[in-house]
Amino acid sequence: MKDIAVVICNYNKKEYVIKCVASLKSQNIDNFDIYVVDNASNDGSADEIQKTYGDEVTLICNDKNLGGSGGFNTGMRVAYDAGYKYIVLLDNDVVVREDCIESFYNDMEEYSDIGIMGAKILKMDKPDVIQEFGSFVDFNEMRFKLAYENEKDPEELPHINECDYVPACALVVRKELIEKVGFMPEENFIYYDDILWGMRCKRAGYKVAADSRAVAWHKGGGGANPTTFPNYYLIRNKTRFFALNRDASSLPNGSEGDEILAKNILREVYEGIYACAYNDLSNIAKTRFDAFLDALNGVSGRAVDGRIRQKEKSRERLYKLLSGKKTILVYVNGDYDDTKRIISEIRYHESLEGTSYQIDLAGEGEASILGIAVKNTVDIKDDEYDLVINACKHVFYVAPEHMDKIWVDGWTNVITNEKDAELCRGFASSYKVFELCFMDRLVDFIVRMNTEEIKKYGRFV
């Protein structure tokens, strides 16, 4: 019997899944079998897979779309029962380098303390740019840091990058870990299932890491969804995730820490809702609020009817600001991760418009961000640029005395005029009402969910 089962989850990406399987057929080892789970696609995927590969793959067709976790679990259960030592998971829009599966196998054999190993994931549309190489959770800031995100793939990376989680688009898991923590959490349906799985791996005493020698290219594209599908699952599952992993933070023990976490969650949820109102994105605002309420009410799995709406265009104000500009100066202001996001959005706008911007950065600390040198502010003359932007963590927290400048945050919210400034100043008072309404309920939710997680999977260490 072979040691490895490769499970691909597919939904309506016929051309991509064929290429994914083709990259597996070109691997330099053959110590694996291929399983493709089709999540009730309606684009002819199943027929095309059968026609192209026949009995070279095992095709499993679900009667309905079970989401990413449900689709993967369908294949993993078959592979688990068959007795494979390791199970590789791949999204349908991934292609892997010819030595990827071999690298996964060799490292899992060598590092017995690693329960889940991810690939170095590069962007399919920019093959030499890293999408992520291991990811980390900042529990106090409720943020995620994707290692080397949007950086050009360097010649040398650490062979193994120990981290908090790796995305399910390209990873390998050992059978014995599944015996301890189970399969991917299907209650999420999609998003945060792989992150929660990584945390449960660590609760069980295993490590999570990424392997720079296992290389995969990923298309992705959740942001292109014309509906509020991503908004719903990201908000609902993020709320559940941080409630479930309260003990992983460095917050104080007991009720004080629970209240701090509740305030952090509430503030972020309301930031998103308020920002949508601020940007005239009513459908996204409604979906975000529904997602938060569903989390509090214990709703999981596939969203009920009415939760997913048509999505408005959410970056139009930033793109309008950029239109017609050639030279752009961004003041970093210490917000390096947010500056990265702003630069990435500007670069994305370049690709949409077929134009090119000269981007300069000014600030202190970092020598460069995404390959752009950070110049000392004393050497900068604002009047030499078509557009001067101040980067910030969130426009709602810009000091009133500085709102006469142009501000952009990592979520593409902008301050360009007095109307924007007035709306931003109104955030604090309206948030207090939101916190008053939901604080007690959310604390109760955190205590209940975190208690259940610890009881079932152990305390995070």
Side-chain angles (χ1 to χ4, degrees):
M1 178 181 175
K2 296 179 180 180
D3 288 325
I4 310 163
V6 179
V7 176
I8 303 168
C9 181
N10 177 66
Y11 179 66
N12 283 342
K13 286 190 176 181
K14 178 172 60 177
E15 292 80 9
Y16 283 105
V17 72
I18 294 300
K19 293 177 182 177
C20 180
V21 176
S23 71
L24 290 170
K25 301 301 292 181
S26 299
Q27 293 297 295
N28 53 16
I29 65 169
D30 59 3
N31 189 25
F32 62 92
D33 293 317
I34 304 171
Y35 294 80
V36 179
V37 179
D38 188 75
N39 252 341
S41 297
N42 54 25
D43 69 342
S45 287
D47 290 341
E48 189 66 26
I49 293 165
Q50 191 67 55
K51 174 184 173 183
T52 305
Y53 293 108
D55 59 5
E56 294 180 281
V57 305
T58 299
L59 177 63
I60 305 169
C61 296
N62 286 329
D63 294 332
K64 60 181 179 179
N65 183 4
L66 300 179
S69 50
F72 277 130
N73 285 351
T74 299
M76 278 198 288
R77 288 189 178 98
V78 172
Y80 180 90
D81 290 341
Y84 292 96
K85 192 175 182 180
Y86 306 117
I87 302 175
V88 171
L89 304 185
L90 297 177
D91 274 356
N92 51 4
D93 56 353
V94 160
V95 296
V96 291
R97 200 170 69 182
E98 64 273 6
D99 57 352
C100 182
I101 305 302
E102 181 183 27
S103 297
F104 272 155
Y105 178 76
N106 290 341
D107 284 333
M108 293 300 271
E109 287 284 288
E110 180 177 352
Y111 301 100
S112 59
D113 57 344
I114 294 178
I116 299 175
M117 179 81 79
K120 177 177 71 174
I121 303 169
L122 303 172
K123 295 186 176 184
M124 191 173 289
D125 294 335
K126 297 179 179 180
D128 60 346
V129 175
I130 295 176
Q131 190 173 98
E132 60 186 286
F133 173 50
S135 301
F136 299 86
V137 184
D138 184 334
F139 285 93
N140 296 328
E141 290 289 330
M142 290 183 57
R143 282 196 165 196
F144 303 89
K145 181 175 179 59
L146 282 57
Y148 300 91
E149 180 187 17
N150 289 323
E151 295 184 14
K152 192 167 183 177
D153 189 12
E155 291 184 5
E156 292 188 9
L157 281 172
H159 176 195
I160 301 296
N161 188 25
E162 190 177 337
C163 54
D164 290 327
Y165 72 93
V166 291
C169 65
L171 63 75
V172 59
V173 59
R174 59 179 73 245
K175 182 176 186 281
E176 66 189 61
L177 176 69
I178 296 174
E179 292 171 352
K180 294 185 178 181
V181 304
F183 297 98
M184 292 183 72
E186 290 187 34
E187 62 269 24
N188 286 33
F189 188 73
I190 194 170
Y191 302 141
Y192 284 85
D193 39 14
D194 44 12
I195 307 177
L196 182 55
W197 208 29
M199 299 310 297
R200 287 174 177 171
C201 174
K202 297 179 77 170
R203 285 181 185 276
Y206 287 87
K207 294 178 180 179
V208 180
D211 174 9
S212 64
R213 299 176 187 177
V215 179
W217 288 269
H218 184 216
K219 175 66 175 177
N225 196 307
T227 74
T228 60
F229 178 98
N231 305 87
Y232 175 82
Y233 289 105
L234 287 169
I235 296 300
R236 189 194 70 183
N237 294 341
K238 186 174 185 179
T239 301
R240 295 185 74 255
F241 173 80
F242 282 101
L244 285 167
N245 290 282
R246 154 76 178 81
D247 63 322
S249 72
S250 59
L251 296 173
N253 293 325
S255 59
E256 180 185 358
D258 295 334
E259 290 178 5
I260 293 173
L261 177 57
K263 286 183 178 180
N264 289 344
I265 292 174
L266 287 172
R267 184 168 291 275
E268 180 173 280
V269 168
Y270 192 66
E271 283 173 356
I273 294 171
Y274 193 90
C276 289
Y278 165 84
N279 289 303
D280 298 321
L281 308 173
S282 59
N283 282 349
I284 301 177
K286 292 172 185 176
T287 295
R288 283 177 171 271
F289 188 59
D290 286 342
F292 172 66
L293 289 181
D294 281 352
L296 283 186
N297 292 326
V299 176
S300 61
R302 192 185 184 99
V304 299
D305 290 345
R307 292 293 190 258
I308 310 300
R309 302 170 172 89
Q310 195 68 24
K311 184 170 66 176
E312 305 94 343
K313 294 182 179 180
S314 58
R315 296 174 173 87
E316 292 303 294
R317 298 195 68 220
L318 174 61
Y319 293 167
K320 184 178 180 180
L321 186 65
L322 296 172
S323 181
K325 308 299 190 298
K326 295 295 182 183
T327 57
I328 301 171
L329 173 65
V330 180
Y331 280 98
V332 178
N333 296 314
D335 294 295
Y336 303 116
D337 288 340
D338 298 284
T339 303
K340 277 187 175 183
R341 293 188 181 98
I342 293 167
I343 295 171
S344 296
E345 287 295 340
I346 295 173
R347 294 301 189 205
Y348 181 64
H349 187 253
E350 283 182 327
S351 67
L352 293 177
E353 297 296 313
T355 187
S356 179
Y357 298 113
Q358 174 196 324
I359 304 173
D360 288 341
L361 303 179
E364 299 176 358
E366 293 278 321
S368 67
I369 300 176
L370 295 181
I372 303 174
V374 179
K375 301 178 180 179
N376 193 299
T377 54
V378 298
D379 300 325
I380 294 294
K381 294 181 180 179
D382 290 5
D383 57 7
E384 295 180 351
Y385 295 88
D386 297 333
L387 176 64
V388 178
I389 289 172
N390 286 270
C392 62
K393 193 171 293 293
H394 210 299
V395 294
F396 298 153
Y397 305 114
V398 174
E401 62 268 24
H402 297 309
M403 286 187 177
D404 57 335
K405 302 175 181 178
I406 294 177
W407 292 86
V408 179
D409 63 28
W411 313 107
T412 70
N413 300 305
V414 300
I415 296 177
T416 61
N417 53 43
E418 177 54 32
K419 180 183 177 182
D420 294 338
E422 184 177 352
L423 286 168
C424 290
R425 287 192 290 267
F427 171 81
S429 58
S430 61
Y431 166 71
K432 290 179 181 178
V433 178
F434 186 78
E435 183 180 290
L436 179 66
C437 292
F438 291 104
M439 184 66 178
D440 291 343
R441 283 184 63 187
L442 184 54
V443 168
D444 289 344
F445 175 77
I446 289 169
V447 172
R448 183 176 71 255
M449 295 294 283
N450 199 54
T451 300
E452 292 174 358
E453 185 75 2
I454 293 171
K455 184 178 179 180
K456 191 170 184 179
Y457 298 103
R459 183 168 291 279
F460 185 83
V461 293

